[in-house]
Amino acid sequence: QVQLVESGGGLVQAGGSLRLSCAASGRTFSSYAMGWFRQAPGKEREFVAAISWAGGRTDYADSVKGRFTISRDNAKNTVYLQMNSLKPEDTAVYYCAADPSLHTIRVESRSLEVWGQGTLVTVSS
């Protein structure tokens, strides 16, 4: 079973950038698709971005397209979320998740079993 630890959150002004990291333990990281989700106060968790096991396919929520980029380094067992042009509405706890299926990450997130503990991103106006 893969275990995930997020880092890189913090306070940033609107228009700024942050890069989140999600470090995975376990030898099978490269066989997992990975995703980023976020949950703002008082709101449900929502999908942000996903990447296939080899990195050849990515998918984004409409709200972050063109601003966020997901990537992975299987040699380092790490997936990244580069966030540019941040907006106050991006404020949330960001979580990474892992699953063998990219489809499951994208459309069946309620069934995901492997999650990190989350990292808080706060964007000030």
Side-chain angles (χ1 to χ4, degrees), residues 82-115:
Q82 178 66 44
M83 305 185 296
N84 298 329
S85 302
L86 283 162
K87 305 175 181 180
E89 52 263 43
D90 294 319
T91 295
V93 177
Y94 284 71
Y95 300 90
C96 63
D99 194 271
S101 169
L102 182 64
H103 174 82
T104 299
I105 289 178
R106 184 61 186 92
V107 299
E108 300 178 20
S109 64
R110 293 184 185 275
S111 67
L112 295 175
E113 297 180 346
V114 182
W115 293 90

